[in-house]
Amino acid sequence: MISLRLLAVVPLLAVLGLFPSCGSGAGGVTLYNVSYDPTRELYADIDQAFAADYKIKTGIDVAVQLSNGGSGRQARNILVGGQGDVATLALAADIDLLAGAKLLPADWQSRLPENSAPYTSTIVFLVRHGNPRGIADWPDLVKPGVAVITPDPKSSSGARWNYLAAWGYALQAGNQEEAKARAFVAELYRHVPILDTGARSATITFTQRNQGDVLLAWENEAHLAQKEFGADKFEIVIPSVSILAEPPVAVVEENARRDGVAKVAEDYLRYLYTPEAQEIIARNFYRPRDAQVAAKYAAQFPALKLLTIDDAFGGWKKAQATHFADGGTFDQIYKKH
């Protein structure tokens, strides 16, 4: 496992999501996977298992080069000509950007099972040992004196999940009144002392720089932090309502064809749905799609009420335009601080 401590001093090149210069070796293939912040550990395990499996089945050596960063920024890196044969990003809107630039078809989500999302996650709270602020649910985040750590929704797509989870909770608590949701989320961001650019950097701010009382985090990221630093340092709080996060994957077809790896890229993403990969996904604290694997790890993933983007927000395109586009709701509520 890649240490969160080591990631506090990752070189700038890695932070920017850029790949080293390398190509396919003799008899081998290099595949570029552009991913979002908290998947380093997941794909370190997946890539090793896939390469071994693919070698046995095809005789081809595959080296996967992984880039991590804020999901929106990663998508923009590809748009301006960066490497990327597959995109394993935090939300569909980021891959839609690539489809809008004709780097892959508009119907990309229908190309793989489960709307091209081989695993799911949700948003939880990570608090310090003993939960000194008594944080149990969303209203506790806006109590006087509570400092909340969450990244910037303008650069981090994980932060957009955080924002929408909070908004969705407030809608339900406020009888679907948008004004009440807006007021709650605006108050929440008044409790945020710093907006990091990505989910992993926000985790480092909370766990290693000791800022804040609670971290809004991907469920897998909260488990990784607790696993590394210990349950005597951090506790996970499951809110009453959260959001069903479905991180999607897609072959960036124009790039994959250019790089001569279209078949390998397709096989790589389809491997994510195999029982072997689903086990790796569960061990890395993402919620697997495979029913048998999910049942095996049921104790690890407590049940909670999960809102969906489609039902609560009318889909990602609408949510993006309403909340996160320039001049959208986030800009309106945050610029007042």
Side-chain angles (χ1 to χ4, degrees):
M1 176 178 289
I2 301 172
S3 170
L4 295 177
R5 294 184 177 92
L6 292 178
L7 287 168
V9 291
V10 169
L12 179 62
L13 185 65
V15 172
L16 292 176
L18 303 177
F19 291 104
S21 176
C22 61
S24 299
V29 171
T30 299
L31 188 70
Y32 294 95
N33 177 8
V34 176
S35 198
Y36 64 103
D37 254 342
T39 64
R40 293 168 174 86
E41 295 81 9
L42 170 65
Y43 282 108
D45 292 344
I46 287 285
D47 295 348
Q48 182 178 9
F50 171 76
D53 182 74
Y54 209 66
K55 175 70 171 178
I56 292 170
K57 290 178 177 176
T58 68
I60 298 172
D61 291 308
V62 179
V64 183
Q65 294 289 322
L66 176 65
S67 166
N68 294 93
S71 184
R73 184 177 60 186
Q74 293 288 77
R76 291 189 293 273
N77 282 346
I78 296 175
L79 281 178
V80 298
Q83 294 277 15
D85 302 310
V86 299
T88 58
L89 297 176
L91 50 86
D94 290 331
I95 299 181
D96 282 337
L97 285 176
L98 306 181
K102 309 300 184 184
L103 294 178
L104 68 161
D107 67 348
W108 63 269
Q109 277 192 285
S110 66
R111 300 297 179 95
L112 291 167
E114 304 285 359
N115 283 326
S116 293
Y119 45 83
T120 69
S121 190
T122 190
I123 302 305
V124 300
F125 307 156
L126 189 68
V127 300
R128 304 194 186 282
H129 179 63
N131 195 2
R133 292 288 191 174
I135 293 167
D137 208 351
W138 292 100
D140 298 319
L141 303 185
V142 297
K143 292 192 301 188
V146 172
V148 179
I149 302 300
T150 183
D152 186 350
K154 303 294 282 190
S155 60
S156 166
S157 296
R160 295 178 202 177
W161 288 112
N162 294 353
Y163 172 105
L164 293 177
W167 192 284
Y169 161 79
L171 274 180
Q172 291 218 334
N175 296 316
Q176 302 301 311
E177 294 183 29
E178 291 284 339
K180 289 183 178 179
R182 181 188 181 102
F184 175 79
V185 175
E187 179 62 23
L188 172 61
Y189 278 91
R190 282 191 279 272
H191 287 253
V192 178
I194 182 172
L195 288 176
D196 287 293
T197 58
R200 179 54 58 87
S201 55
T203 300
I204 290 169
T205 292
F206 182 73
T207 60
Q208 298 179 49
R209 296 174 184 149
N210 295 313
Q211 295 194 36
D213 302 299
V214 54
L215 172 71
L216 300 188
W218 291 95
E219 183 177 41
N220 68 290
E221 189 79 343
H223 278 285
L224 284 174
Q226 190 180 55
K227 181 177 180 180
E228 176 162 349
F229 296 101
D232 62 333
K233 293 287 191 292
F234 301 106
E235 299 175 13
I236 297 171
V237 174
I238 306 296
S240 62
V241 176
S242 194
I243 199 157
L244 177 65
E246 298 180 291
V249 302
V251 177
V252 185
E253 295 187 11
E254 285 299 309
N255 289 1
R257 281 196 291 267
R258 177 200 67 200
D259 296 340
V261 296
K263 176 65 164 57
V264 177
E266 176 79 12
D267 292 342
Y268 176 73
L269 294 187
R270 290 196 177 278
Y271 176 77
L272 297 175
Y273 294 87
T274 65
E276 295 78 14
Q278 292 283 296
E279 281 272 349
I280 294 170
I281 285 164
R283 290 199 300 268
N284 280 273
F285 307 110
Y286 286 91
R287 297 187 177 217
R289 293 289 200 179
D290 184 279
Q292 290 185 334
V293 177
K296 179 178 176 181
Y297 288 87
Q300 181 172 286
F301 301 113
L304 72 161
K305 184 173 184 178
L306 295 175
L307 307 174
T308 70
I309 289 295
D310 288 345
D311 290 343
F313 298 98
W316 264 114
K317 288 183 179 179
K318 183 178 180 181
Q320 173 69 25
T322 299
H323 293 278
F324 309 117
D326 290 344
T329 306
F330 176 75
D331 284 347
Q332 295 166 26
I333 64 175
Y334 194 71
K335 70 181 180 181
K336 297 178 181 179
H337 295 182

